[in-house]
Amino acid sequence: MADTKSVDASLWWDSFTLLLSELENSSLSSDLPQNLVKKLKDNHSWLVDAVSRFKPPNEKSKEALNSKKLQIGSHQLTIQTHLKDKALKISSCLQLDEVQSYIIAERSIKNNNVAVDSMAQEFLHVIVIQYYTERQCLLKCIRWILMHAIYIGPGSKEHVIREEAKKLFHDGLESKLISLFQDLLLFSYPEQMDVDLFTLWAEETLIEDNLVLDILFLSYYDSFCACSGEKWKKLCNMYKGIISGHYNLRKLAITSEAWQLSYHAKVQLLLILIETLDLENLLQMVHDETPYRKGASTFSLIDVQEMDALISTFNAFEMKEASPLILAWAAFLYLLLTLPGKDENNDLMEIDHVGYVRQAFEAASFSYCLEILECDILKDYDGPVSGYRSVLRTLISAFIASYEVNIQEQAEDSNPVLILDILCKIYRGEESLCIQFWDKESFIDGPIRCLLCNLGNEFPFQTVELVQLLSSLCEGMWPAECVYNFLDRSIGVSSLFEISNESVADVSHIVEAQQAVQVPGIEGFFIPAGTRGHILKVIGGNTALVRWEHATSGVFLLLLRLAQEVHLNDKEEVLLTLDLLSRLVSFNTAVCFELMSLSCSAHFHAVSLMSEQEKNVWVIEIICNLVKKQSLNSYGAALMSKGIKILGKMLICSPSTVAAIALNANIFDMALQTTVFSRGNNALSSGSWLLSGKLAKMLLIDCEQNSDDCPLAISVLDFTIQLVETGVENDCLLALIIFSLQYVLVNHESWKYKMKHVRWKVTLKVLELMKKCNILMARHGKIGEIIHDVLFSDSSIHKTLFQIACTTTNALEKLHASRLFDPVEIEGLQFAISSVLDVLLVMLTKFSEEASSTISVFHQAVLSCTTNSVPIVAAVISLISYFRDPAIQIGAARFISFLFSIADSVQPFSYGTTCFAPESNQIVDFRLSLSYILLEQSASNEDLFIATVDLLTSAAHHQPAFLIAIFNPEEKDDGQLIVTGDGESKGSKDSGLIDALMDYIVRADNLIQSHPRMLLSVLNFMVALWQGASQYLNILESLRSSEKFWKYLSNAILRVAGSTIHLPVNLTEKDAQNLANMYLCQSAILGIMSYELFLQKKLLHAESLVKDATGSQGNEQDGAKTEKSKAPAFCDVKEIWSSWCKDSVLEKLMKSYTSGYNDDIYYSAKVAISLFSVHVMEKLVAGDSGSLSVSLQQKFHTMLTKLCMHPAFSELLCQYSQRGYSEGKKLKKLILSDLYYHLQGELEGRKVSTGPFKELSQYLVESNILETYQNNLNGDLSATTKNLYLFDLVRLRADIGLDVWDCSEWKASKEIAEIMLHWLQEANSFMLASSSKLSALKALISVLTVYHDDALGRKSMREEIPDQIIFTCIDNICQSFHATIEKLAPVLDVSEDTLNFLASQAELLLQLTRTVCKSLSFGVSLLVLKCSGSGLKLFSELQLLSSKASVIMKLLLTLLLLVLDSNCLSSRLGGTIDEKSREGYGPDIKEFFDA
C-alpha cells in the first residue's frame, strides 16, 4: 500500500452548506465582506458547472483509496479502512466517484452524531442526505447570487454580486443547467440502491429539479441571458415530454411531498416558457408603436414559425397543463401582428391565433392558472414566487390588451370571473406588484388598470368585483393610500335609470335627472335633480345603467351600505367590504384615521338620514353592530374576524373612544359574575365566569371550516392584547381575558384545524397575551388582582405551559430526524417553547416582587420534581443544548438562572420539592454545551453568551452544589459531540470551562471597550466565586494559577482609567449602556481585588495562629510552605496596587469616580415631562384625547383636575377674568397655554419668575406624573447596580401612541413629545452612568478599606500610598463635593441618587483623611473643614432629613472631628486664630468657628 496517492484536485470541494449559510446571513443592502467575495471566486468553477463536478465512479479513484494518505490538491486525507469500505458501498449506491464518496462519508460522521459502526441502513440514510444536501446547497448558492443581483438592480453595475452573476452565464451556466435538467428527467432508479431509500432519492431528485428551474427562471427574468429560439424549442419539447409522461417526473411522485415537487417543476417550466416569450417587451413595442424588426426581439420570424409549428402539436384537450402556454402564444401572435409593418409578415398573418384562444378556453386555461396560484407549495416556497406571479400578471395583461374582456359577461361564460380571481391571487400579498400597478408609468399594468376603471364606472350597481380587486391591490402602505384615494375620489355613482324623452340631454348618451334619483341599496341617498349622467349600457327596454356626474366618496357609500346591511342580500359583499377595510387600515394608519373621521365629513351631513341611523353610520359602531349580530356559521366567523381586526387597528388610533364603544357594545356577548370580585377565596374556578358560548362556538367553527389568513382566534386575541395595553378596566375585558386563558389556552390544542399551522399561531398569540397580562397586571387594579389569582392558581393553565416547556432537546432532535413531521410544525413548536420560557420567567419574577410568606400553586409546581413525567428543571436544562434555536437556549438559561434564586429563597418553607440534581450524563452534556457556547458562540450571539454566564453566576450565588458539579474536573466527557444548528458537531474534550472563561480575562483590556457587556457578565461570575470563596477554593485556585491573572484584570482598568471623567451628553441608549458597563467592569475588578485581599489576609492570619499554637518545627515548615503557596496572589495584588500609586492610576480613578456628577439633567427631564403634560392637558380640555392610552389619559385628567384646584390656578382665573377674558374651557386653555410657554422657557434656561406660574410649574415638576413609567432594574440578573429606576421609553412611546401622530391632528405636537423623550433618554443615560460610577466608587472604597485594615496585624504586608497622592485625591474629592453641594437648593428635595453619591464621596474622603491624619498639611485640613462645613450647613437646612442624609452628616461630623483632632491642625492652631487666618477659611468655616 502506497503511503500517499495524488488525485485530481477538482474532486475536492469546500462545504457548500457553510457557504450558503454565510451568504444568507449577509446583508442584502451592502457589499459582501471580502472573505466571502474570495470564497465565491474560489468556487466559481464549481458554481459554473453546477453539480456536474460530482463525478461518476472511477477506477483511478477507487485504486487511490488503497493508499494510506490521499492528496487532493492542497488537501490531504488519512484513509481509514472502515470508512473506505463504507465509501465504496456509497459510491456504488449513489453512482459517485469513490474519492468524493469518501469525503462525503467522513463529513457525514463529523456533521452528524452517527457512529461508523451503526446500523448500515441508518448510516446509508445519513450519507444520502448529506450528499444531496451538498448538491442542493450548491444550487441554492447560485440561486441566492441571482436573487441578490436582482435585488440590487441593474443600476449597480460594479457590484460584485451582479458581476459574479453575469460571469456565471458568460461562462456557460445556462447550457449546463438545461443539460442538467434533462439529465435529471432521464434519471432512472439506481439498481444498487435499496428499496427503502427510493422515497428519499425520489424527493431529493425532485428538489434538484425545482432548484435548477428556479435558476433558469431567474436568469431569463432579469435578462442575465437571452433565450434563443433553439433553446426555447428544446425547453418546450421537454415540457411536452413531461406532461405526456415520457420523463420520470410522474414516476417520482410517490409521496404527497414528491407529488407537490413534481407539480411545481411542471409549473416552473411552464412559466419559464411564458416568460421567455417576452410579452412585456411586446407590450412596450405596441405602446411605443415600434415595428417588429431584427434585433427588437430574441426571436426571428423563422424562429416564430418553427415555434408555432411546435405549439400546434400540443393537444390542449389531452394536455390541460399546456393550455396556458397556448393562451400565451395566442397573445404573443396577436401583439406581434398589431405592430407596425405587419403587412410584410404574410406568413404570420396566416396563423390562426383566434383558434389558439378558442382551444385554450375549451381546455380551461384560466382555471389551470388559478389552480397554480392556489397551490400550497407556491405559498410556502422560498424561491422567486414574486417573479412567477409577475409572469402570470404579464400574461393576463397581454390577453386583456389583445382581446376585449368584460367582467360582467353572461353567466355561462366563466372566463371573465376567472380572470378577476387570477388577478386578485396575483396581486394579493405582493407589495412590489401592487406598487408597480399604481405607478402610471407602468405600461404592463395599463390594460388591468383599464379593467379596474370599467369596474369603478359601475359602482355601486356592481360592487363585489370592484371591492374584491381593490382589496388585492392595497398590499403595502402606498398601494393602500392609492386604493383609498381611488375609492374616495376617482369613482362616481351609477344606478339604473328609466330613460324618457325629457331626460335625454343630447344624442351622445347623456341623460339628465328631472327629479332626485334614489340609489338602490343605500337608503336616504339620492342623486340630486338636474344631475347629468352617461349611459354605460342598456339593460332592457328603457332601463339603462347610468354613471352620474355626482361627486361622492366611494368609501362613504361602502360604509353606508354596511350600515344598512339589512338591505344587502349578498353576504359576500359584506365580507369583501370588511376585508378591504381591514387591509386598508392594516397597511396604512393614515387611512385608518380618514375612515374614523369620515362621519365628520361633508358627505356624511349631506345624506338625509334619521338621527338614529346617522348615529349608526359612525364606522366604529357600524363594525361593532356587524360583529355582534353574526350568526353561528363559517360566514359569521369570517366576518367577525375581519370586523375585530378593524376594531383592533382603530383602537391603536383612538384607544379611549374605540375601547369605550366596543366594550359597551359587548360584541362578544360576555357576562361576568359579580361574586368573583370577592377575593376571600384565592382559588378561582372556571365556573366563576359566565360566557354566552357564542364566541367559543365561533372559534371552533372558524378553525374547522375557514382557511382565511386571519383566523378568528388570532383576531380576538390580538384585540384582547390591545385592550390590555390601553390600561382600560372593564368587566367585559376581564371576562375576555379569563376566557382566553382558561378556555383558549387550555383547549386550543384539541381543536380540529382546517389549516394545521394555525394551531401554533394561536398558541403563540395566547402566550403573548399571558406575557402582557403578567407584565401589566399591576396597572389594572382590581382586574389585575383577579388575573393574578387565575394565572398563579389555575393548575390547568400551568399544565398546558409545562407540557410545552418540558419538551427536551432529545425529543426535538427526534422530530427533526423524522420525515413524518412537517418542518412548519417543528418550527411552530420551537417558537412556542421559546415563548413559554419567556412567560414562565415573567411569572417567576413575580415571586421576588411579592415577597409573600406562602408559595403560590404555580411556584410549587415549577419547583416540584413530580409535576410532570420529565421535571421541568431537567427539561429546561436540556434545552440549553438545543443549538438549532438560540432563542430557546437564551430563554432556558434565563429561566434556570432565576429559578436558582427562587429555589434558594423558598428553602426555609420548602417541602422537599426543589430538584437540581441532574444525572451524571446530563451534567456532562450540560458542561459540553456550556463550553461550546463560551468558546464559539460569543462572537455570533452575544445574548446567548451573556445568558449562559449569568446562569453560572446565579448558580454560584444560590446553588453551589450544582455549580461544583458542573466544574467538577473528575467528570470525563469521553469526546462527546454537540450537534449545532448548522449541522456541525463540536467536541469540547480538551476545553474546560475555566479555560473558556480565562480567555475573556486575557482579552479584558480590549473587551472593556469593545464588548463591555460580555466582559461584565464574566466578571460578575468571578465576583460571585470570590464571594463564596469557602465553597469554591478549587475553582479559585485554578483561576489564580493562570499566569498573569491579576495583570490581565489590571490591564483592563489601565485601558480606561481616567478616560471617562465627565459624563458625555446626547448619548444613544446603546452608548450609555456601554459606558455604564465599562464602569461596572471596573467596579467588578476592584471588588474581586478587595475580596482577594481580604481572603488572603484571613488565610495568612489563620496560618500564623496555627504556627503560634503549635510551635513545633514541623508545623513551622508546613506553615511556611502554606504561606509561600498563598503569598504570590497577595503579592500580585500588592504589586498592582503599588504600580497604580506610582503611575497616578489611583489618582485618575478617584477623580473619574468622584467628579462629573450633574443632577441638572434629571431636573430638566422633569421639566420636559411637565411641558408635555401641560400640552396634553390643553388637548384634553378641547376634547381631543388623540391616541393616548386609556390609563395615561386618566392620569392626565386627574392631574388636570388637581392643577385646576390648585390655589395658584384659581388666582390666575381671577386675574384673567378681571382682564376681560371669557370664562370656561377657553379660559382654562389660555392659562394652560401660558403655563406651557413658561415651562418651555424654563427648559431653555430662562427661570420662571416668582408668582402663580412659578407655583404651578413647581407643583407639576414635583408631581412626577410619569412615575409609573420608571422601572426598577432589580429583575435584571446581569445588573450589578440595584434599586436603579429608569424610564421605560418603549412603553411610554406606545402609551402616547407616538408612532401614529404623523397621521393624526397631533402631528404638529410630535416635536414636543420628542423633546420629552430626548430628555428622558438623557436622564436614563445620566442615571445609568452615574449609578455605575457610584458602584465603582464604592468598590474602590472597599479596596482601600481592606488594604489599610490593620486589624490582623499585617501592616508590614502592605505598602503605604504616598501622602502626596492622597493629598491630591483629597483635593479633587473636596472640589467635586463642594461643586455638587453648591448646585443643591435647600428648598427642594434632594434626590436619592445625589445623596448616595455624596455619601460615597464623604466616605472616601474620610477613609483617605484617616490614612494620612498624622501628616495632614494645614491647607489640606482647611480644605476638608470647608468641605465638611458646607455639607453640614446644607443638610441642616433641609426640610425633610432622610436616613441617607443623616448618614452623610455623621460621616461629615466624623471627618471634621478627625481633622480637628489631628496633630497637624492642633500644632497649627496653638492658641487663638487670628483674623487673617479666619478670612482664608471661607464662610462655612468662619461660621463654624464663630459658633
Side-chain angles (χ1 to χ4, degrees), residues 503-520:
S503 62
V504 176
D506 53 44
V507 294
S508 303
H509 298 89
I510 303 297
V511 296
E512 181 177 312
Q514 300 301 311
Q515 57 186 5
V517 179
Q518 165 75 50
V519 177

mmCIF file with all atom_site columns, all heavy atoms in Angstrom, residues 503-520:
data_model
loop_
_atom_site.group_PDB
_atom_site.id
_atom_site.type_symbol
_atom_site.label_atom_id
_atom_site.label_alt_id
_atom_site.label_comp_id
_atom_site.label_asym_id
_atom_site.label_entity_id
_atom_site.label_seq_id
_atom_site.pdbx_PDB_ins_code
_atom_site.Cartn_x
_atom_site.Cartn_y
_atom_site.Cartn_z
_atom_site.occupancy
_atom_site.B_iso_or_equiv
_atom_site.pdbx_formal_charge
_atom_site.auth_seq_id
_atom_site.auth_comp_id
_atom_site.auth_asym_id
_atom_site.auth_atom_id
_atom_site.pdbx_PDB_model_num
ATOM 1   N N   . SER A 1 503 ? -85.632 63.195 -20.245 1.00 0.00 ? 503 SER A N   1
ATOM 2   C CA  . SER A 1 503 ? -84.345 63.019 -19.559 1.00 0.00 ? 503 SER A CA  1
ATOM 3   C C   . SER A 1 503 ? -83.159 62.988 -20.514 1.00 0.00 ? 503 SER A C   1
ATOM 4   O O   . SER A 1 503 ? -82.016 63.092 -20.093 1.00 0.00 ? 503 SER A O   1
ATOM 5   C CB  . SER A 1 503 ? -84.354 61.724 -18.738 1.00 0.00 ? 503 SER A CB  1
ATOM 6   O OG  . SER A 1 503 ? -84.530 60.607 -19.595 1.00 0.00 ? 503 SER A OG  1
ATOM 7   N N   . VAL A 1 504 ? -83.413 62.813 -21.832 1.00 0.00 ? 504 VAL A N   1
ATOM 8   C CA  . VAL A 1 504 ? -82.313 62.740 -22.780 1.00 0.00 ? 504 VAL A CA  1
ATOM 9   C C   . VAL A 1 504 ? -81.803 64.155 -23.057 1.00 0.00 ? 504 VAL A C   1
ATOM 10  O O   . VAL A 1 504 ? -82.536 65.013 -23.537 1.00 0.00 ? 504 VAL A O   1
ATOM 11  C CB  . VAL A 1 504 ? -82.752 62.073 -24.098 1.00 0.00 ? 504 VAL A CB  1
ATOM 12  C CG1 . VAL A 1 504 ? -81.611 62.087 -25.102 1.00 0.00 ? 504 VAL A CG1 1
ATOM 13  C CG2 . VAL A 1 504 ? -83.220 60.653 -23.830 1.00 0.00 ? 504 VAL A CG2 1
ATOM 14  N N   . ALA A 1 505 ? -80.510 64.393 -22.716 1.00 0.00 ? 505 ALA A N   1
ATOM 15  C CA  . ALA A 1 505 ? -79.927 65.736 -22.876 1.00 0.00 ? 505 ALA A CA  1
ATOM 16  C C   . ALA A 1 505 ? -79.443 65.956 -24.300 1.00 0.00 ? 505 ALA A C   1
ATOM 17  O O   . ALA A 1 505 ? -79.580 67.031 -24.857 1.00 0.00 ? 505 ALA A O   1
ATOM 18  C CB  . ALA A 1 505 ? -78.781 65.947 -21.892 1.00 0.00 ? 505 ALA A CB  1
ATOM 19  N N   . ASP A 1 506 ? -78.787 64.932 -24.891 1.00 0.00 ? 506 ASP A N   1
ATOM 20  C CA  . ASP A 1 506 ? -78.315 65.047 -26.269 1.00 0.00 ? 506 ASP A CA  1
ATOM 21  C C   . ASP A 1 506 ? -78.140 63.644 -26.808 1.00 0.00 ? 506 ASP A C   1
ATOM 22  O O   . ASP A 1 506 ? -78.433 62.660 -26.149 1.00 0.00 ? 506 ASP A O   1
ATOM 23  C CB  . ASP A 1 506 ? -77.019 65.859 -26.371 1.00 0.00 ? 506 ASP A CB  1
ATOM 24  C CG  . ASP A 1 506 ? -75.945 65.310 -25.435 1.00 0.00 ? 506 ASP A CG  1
ATOM 25  O OD1 . ASP A 1 506 ? -75.783 64.080 -25.385 1.00 0.00 ? 506 ASP A OD1 1
ATOM 26  O OD2 . ASP A 1 506 ? -75.276 66.131 -24.764 1.00 0.00 ? 506 ASP A OD2 1
ATOM 27  N N   . VAL A 1 507 ? -77.634 63.577 -28.003 1.00 0.00 ? 507 VAL A N   1
ATOM 28  C CA  . VAL A 1 507 ? -77.535 62.282 -28.671 1.00 0.00 ? 507 VAL A CA  1
ATOM 29  C C   . VAL A 1 507 ? -76.278 61.530 -28.265 1.00 0.00 ? 507 VAL A C   1
ATOM 30  O O   . VAL A 1 507 ? -76.011 60.456 -28.769 1.00 0.00 ? 507 VAL A O   1
ATOM 31  C CB  . VAL A 1 507 ? -77.536 62.478 -30.206 1.00 0.00 ? 507 VAL A CB  1
ATOM 32  C CG1 . VAL A 1 507 ? -78.879 63.031 -30.652 1.00 0.00 ? 507 VAL A CG1 1
ATOM 33  C CG2 . VAL A 1 507 ? -76.397 63.417 -30.626 1.00 0.00 ? 507 VAL A CG2 1
ATOM 34  N N   . SER A 1 508 ? -75.469 62.064 -27.388 1.00 0.00 ? 508 SER A N   1
ATOM 35  C CA  . SER A 1 508 ? -74.192 61.444 -27.009 1.00 0.00 ? 508 SER A CA  1
ATOM 36  C C   . SER A 1 508 ? -74.339 60.606 -25.745 1.00 0.00 ? 508 SER A C   1
ATOM 37  O O   . SER A 1 508 ? -73.466 60.607 -24.883 1.00 0.00 ? 508 SER A O   1
ATOM 38  C CB  . SER A 1 508 ? -73.124 62.533 -26.806 1.00 0.00 ? 508 SER A CB  1
ATOM 39  O OG  . SER A 1 508 ? -72.976 63.313 -27.965 1.00 0.00 ? 508 SER A OG  1
ATOM 40  N N   . HIS A 1 509 ? -75.462 59.940 -25.622 1.00 0.00 ? 509 HIS A N   1
ATOM 41  C CA  . HIS A 1 509 ? -75.715 59.059 -24.483 1.00 0.00 ? 509 HIS A CA  1
ATOM 42  C C   . HIS A 1 509 ? -75.635 59.801 -23.150 1.00 0.00 ? 509 HIS A C   1
ATOM 43  O O   . HIS A 1 509 ? -75.208 59.262 -22.135 1.00 0.00 ? 509 HIS A O   1
ATOM 44  C CB  . HIS A 1 509 ? -74.736 57.878 -24.462 1.00 0.00 ? 509 HIS A CB  1
ATOM 45  C CG  . HIS A 1 509 ? -74.843 56.992 -25.653 1.00 0.00 ? 509 HIS A CG  1
ATOM 46  N ND1 . HIS A 1 509 ? -74.116 57.229 -26.800 1.00 0.00 ? 509 HIS A ND1 1
ATOM 47  C CD2 . HIS A 1 509 ? -75.607 55.898 -25.892 1.00 0.00 ? 509 HIS A CD2 1
ATOM 48  C CE1 . HIS A 1 509 ? -74.407 56.307 -27.701 1.00 0.00 ? 509 HIS A CE1 1
ATOM 49  N NE2 . HIS A 1 509 ? -75.327 55.481 -27.189 1.00 0.00 ? 509 HIS A NE2 1
ATOM 50  N N   . ILE A 1 510 ? -76.064 61.069 -23.156 1.00 0.00 ? 510 ILE A N   1
ATOM 51  C CA  . ILE A 1 510 ? -76.105 61.852 -21.929 1.00 0.00 ? 510 ILE A CA  1
ATOM 52  C C   . ILE A 1 510 ? -77.554 62.037 -21.518 1.00 0.00 ? 510 ILE A C   1
ATOM 53  O O   . ILE A 1 510 ? -78.411 62.383 -22.346 1.00 0.00 ? 510 ILE A O   1
ATOM 54  C CB  . ILE A 1 510 ? -75.438 63.239 -22.119 1.00 0.00 ? 510 ILE A CB  1
ATOM 55  C CG1 . ILE A 1 510 ? -73.993 63.075 -22.590 1.00 0.00 ? 510 ILE A CG1 1
ATOM 56  C CG2 . ILE A 1 510 ? -75.487 64.045 -20.822 1.00 0.00 ? 510 ILE A CG2 1
ATOM 57  C CD1 . ILE A 1 510 ? -73.093 62.361 -21.613 1.00 0.00 ? 510 ILE A CD1 1
ATOM 58  N N   . VAL A 1 511 ? -77.843 61.779 -20.244 1.00 0.00 ? 511 VAL A N   1
ATOM 59  C CA  . VAL A 1 511 ? -79.195 61.971 -19.714 1.00 0.00 ? 511 VAL A CA  1
ATOM 60  C C   . VAL A 1 511 ? -79.120 62.920 -18.542 1.00 0.00 ? 511 VAL A C   1
ATOM 61  O O   . VAL A 1 511 ? -78.052 63.157 -17.953 1.00 0.00 ? 511 VAL A O   1
ATOM 62  C CB  . VAL A 1 511 ? -79.833 60.632 -19.280 1.00 0.00 ? 511 VAL A CB  1
ATOM 63  C CG1 . VAL A 1 511 ? -80.015 59.699 -20.470 1.00 0.00 ? 511 VAL A CG1 1
ATOM 64  C CG2 . VAL A 1 511 ? -78.987 59.958 -18.202 1.00 0.00 ? 511 VAL A CG2 1
ATOM 65  N N   . GLU A 1 512 ? -80.289 63.443 -18.159 1.00 0.00 ? 512 GLU A N   1
ATOM 66  C CA  . GLU A 1 512 ? -80.365 64.360 -17.023 1.00 0.00 ? 512 GLU A CA  1
ATOM 67  C C   . GLU A 1 512 ? -81.547 63.967 -16.153 1.00 0.00 ? 512 GLU A C   1
ATOM 68  O O   . GLU A 1 512 ? -82.651 63.708 -16.643 1.00 0.00 ? 512 GLU A O   1
ATOM 69  C CB  . GLU A 1 512 ? -80.526 65.799 -17.527 1.00 0.00 ? 512 GLU A CB  1
ATOM 70  C CG  . GLU A 1 512 ? -80.578 66.821 -16.410 1.00 0.00 ? 512 GLU A CG  1
ATOM 71  C CD  . GLU A 1 512 ? -80.665 68.232 -16.937 1.00 0.00 ? 512 GLU A CD  1
ATOM 72  O OE1 . GLU A 1 512 ? -79.868 68.574 -17.844 1.00 0.00 ? 512 GLU A OE1 1
ATOM 73  O OE2 . GLU A 1 512 ? -81.527 68.993 -16.447 1.00 0.00 ? 512 GLU A OE2 1
ATOM 74  N N   . ALA A 1 513 ? -81.283 63.898 -14.824 1.00 0.00 ? 513 ALA A N   1
ATOM 75  C CA  . ALA A 1 513 ? -82.342 63.519 -13.885 1.00 0.00 ? 513 ALA A CA  1
ATOM 76  C C   . ALA A 1 513 ? -83.290 64.696 -13.681 1.00 0.00 ? 513 ALA A C   1
ATOM 77  O O   . ALA A 1 513 ? -82.847 65.783 -13.297 1.00 0.00 ? 513 ALA A O   1
ATOM 78  C CB  . ALA A 1 513 ? -81.719 63.102 -12.551 1.00 0.00 ? 513 ALA A CB  1
ATOM 79  N N   . GLN A 1 514 ? -84.583 64.485 -13.985 1.00 0.00 ? 514 GLN A N   1
ATOM 80  C CA  . GLN A 1 514 ? -85.580 65.539 -13.817 1.00 0.00 ? 514 GLN A CA  1
ATOM 81  C C   . GLN A 1 514 ? -85.974 65.709 -12.355 1.00 0.00 ? 514 GLN A C   1
ATOM 82  O O   . GLN A 1 514 ? -86.456 66.768 -11.967 1.00 0.00 ? 514 GLN A O   1
ATOM 83  C CB  . GLN A 1 514 ? -86.817 65.219 -14.666 1.00 0.00 ? 514 GLN A CB  1
ATOM 84  C CG  . GLN A 1 514 ? -86.505 65.100 -16.155 1.00 0.00 ? 514 GLN A CG  1
ATOM 85  C CD  . GLN A 1 514 ? -85.903 66.373 -16.724 1.00 0.00 ? 514 GLN A CD  1
ATOM 86  O OE1 . GLN A 1 514 ? -86.432 67.468 -16.500 1.00 0.00 ? 514 GLN A OE1 1
ATOM 87  N NE2 . GLN A 1 514 ? -84.782 66.241 -17.436 1.00 0.00 ? 514 GLN A NE2 1
ATOM 88  N N   . GLN A 1 515 ? -85.798 64.643 -11.564 1.00 0.00 ? 515 GLN A N   1
ATOM 89  C CA  . GLN A 1 515 ? -86.070 64.687 -10.129 1.00 0.00 ? 515 GLN A CA  1
ATOM 90  C C   . GLN A 1 515 ? -85.038 63.835 -9.411  1.00 0.00 ? 515 GLN A C   1
ATOM 91  O O   . GLN A 1 515 ? -84.269 63.120 -10.040 1.00 0.00 ? 515 GLN A O   1
ATOM 92  C CB  . GLN A 1 515 ? -87.480 64.176 -9.845  1.00 0.00 ? 515 GLN A CB  1
ATOM 93  C CG  . GLN A 1 515 ? -87.720 62.757 -10.358 1.00 0.00 ? 515 GLN A CG  1
ATOM 94  C CD  . GLN A 1 515 ? -89.176 62.333 -10.191 1.00 0.00 ? 515 GLN A CD  1
ATOM 95  O OE1 . GLN A 1 515 ? -90.017 63.122 -9.791  1.00 0.00 ? 515 GLN A OE1 1
ATOM 96  N NE2 . GLN A 1 515 ? -89.464 61.085 -10.493 1.00 0.00 ? 515 GLN A NE2 1
ATOM 97  N N   . ALA A 1 516 ? -84.987 63.944 -8.096  1.00 0.00 ? 516 ALA A N   1
ATOM 98  C CA  . ALA A 1 516 ? -83.998 63.198 -7.315  1.00 0.00 ? 516 ALA A CA  1
ATOM 99  C C   . ALA A 1 516 ? -84.132 61.705 -7.561  1.00 0.00 ? 516 ALA A C   1
ATOM 100 O O   . ALA A 1 516 ? -85.245 61.159 -7.572  1.00 0.00 ? 516 ALA A O   1
ATOM 101 C CB  . ALA A 1 516 ? -84.144 63.503 -5.825  1.00 0.00 ? 516 ALA A CB  1
ATOM 102 N N   . VAL A 1 517 ? -83.007 61.053 -7.773  1.00 0.00 ? 517 VAL A N   1
ATOM 103 C CA  . VAL A 1 517 ? -82.994 59.622 -8.077  1.00 0.00 ? 517 VAL A CA  1
ATOM 104 C C   . VAL A 1 517 ? -82.472 58.851 -6.864  1.00 0.00 ? 517 VAL A C   1
ATOM 105 O O   . VAL A 1 517 ? -81.360 59.099 -6.381  1.00 0.00 ? 517 VAL A O   1
ATOM 106 C CB  . VAL A 1 517 ? -82.099 59.321 -9.306  1.00 0.00 ? 517 VAL A CB  1
ATOM 107 C CG1 . VAL A 1 517 ? -82.065 57.825 -9.594  1.00 0.00 ? 517 VAL A CG1 1
ATOM 108 C CG2 . VAL A 1 517 ? -82.586 60.098 -10.515 1.00 0.00 ? 517 VAL A CG2 1
ATOM 109 N N   . GLN A 1 518 ? -83.272 57.929 -6.365  1.00 0.00 ? 518 GLN A N   1
ATOM 110 C CA  . GLN A 1 518 ? -82.857 57.078 -5.238  1.00 0.00 ? 518 GLN A CA  1
ATOM 111 C C   . GLN A 1 518 ? -81.856 56.024 -5.730  1.00 0.00 ? 518 GLN A C   1
ATOM 112 O O   . GLN A 1 518 ? -82.088 55.333 -6.718  1.00 0.00 ? 518 GLN A O   1
ATOM 113 C CB  . GLN A 1 518 ? -84.079 56.364 -4.648  1.00 0.00 ? 518 GLN A CB  1
ATOM 114 C CG  . GLN A 1 518 ? -83.763 55.206 -3.718  1.00 0.00 ? 518 GLN A CG  1
ATOM 115 C CD  . GLN A 1 518 ? -83.285 55.673 -2.353  1.00 0.00 ? 518 GLN A CD  1
ATOM 116 O OE1 . GLN A 1 518 ? -83.904 56.507 -1.734  1.00 0.00 ? 518 GLN A OE1 1
ATOM 117 N NE2 . GLN A 1 518 ? -82.178 55.131 -1.891  1.00 0.00 ? 518 GLN A NE2 1
ATOM 118 N N   . VAL A 1 519 ? -80.710 55.947 -5.041  1.00 0.00 ? 519 VAL A N   1
ATOM 119 C CA  . VAL A 1 519 ? -79.722 54.927 -5.384  1.00 0.00 ? 519 VAL A CA  1
ATOM 120 C C   . VAL A 1 519 ? -80.096 53.647 -4.660  1.00 0.00 ? 519 VAL A C   1
ATOM 121 O O   . VAL A 1 519 ? -80.126 53.619 -3.423  1.00 0.00 ? 519 VAL A O   1
ATOM 122 C CB  . VAL A 1 519 ? -78.305 55.377 -4.984  1.00 0.00 ? 519 VAL A CB  1
ATOM 123 C CG1 . VAL A 1 519 ? -77.295 54.275 -5.293  1.00 0.00 ? 519 VAL A CG1 1
ATOM 124 C CG2 . VAL A 1 519 ? -77.923 56.654 -5.721  1.00 0.00 ? 519 VAL A CG2 1
ATOM 125 N N   . PRO A 1 520 ? -80.399 52.579 -5.375  1.00 0.00 ? 520 PRO A N   1
ATOM 126 C CA  . PRO A 1 520 ? -80.830 51.331 -4.730  1.00 0.00 ? 520 PRO A CA  1
ATOM 127 C C   . PRO A 1 520 ? -79.769 50.788 -3.771  1.00 0.00 ? 520 PRO A C   1
ATOM 128 O O   . PRO A 1 520 ? -78.569 50.849 -4.035  1.00 0.00 ? 520 PRO A O   1
ATOM 129 C CB  . PRO A 1 520 ? -81.025 50.381 -5.921  1.00 0.00 ? 520 PRO A CB  1
ATOM 130 C CG  . PRO A 1 520 ? -81.235 51.273 -7.090  1.00 0.00 ? 520 PRO A CG  1
ATOM 131 C CD  . PRO A 1 520 ? -80.410 52.497 -6.835  1.00 0.00 ? 520 PRO A CD  1
#
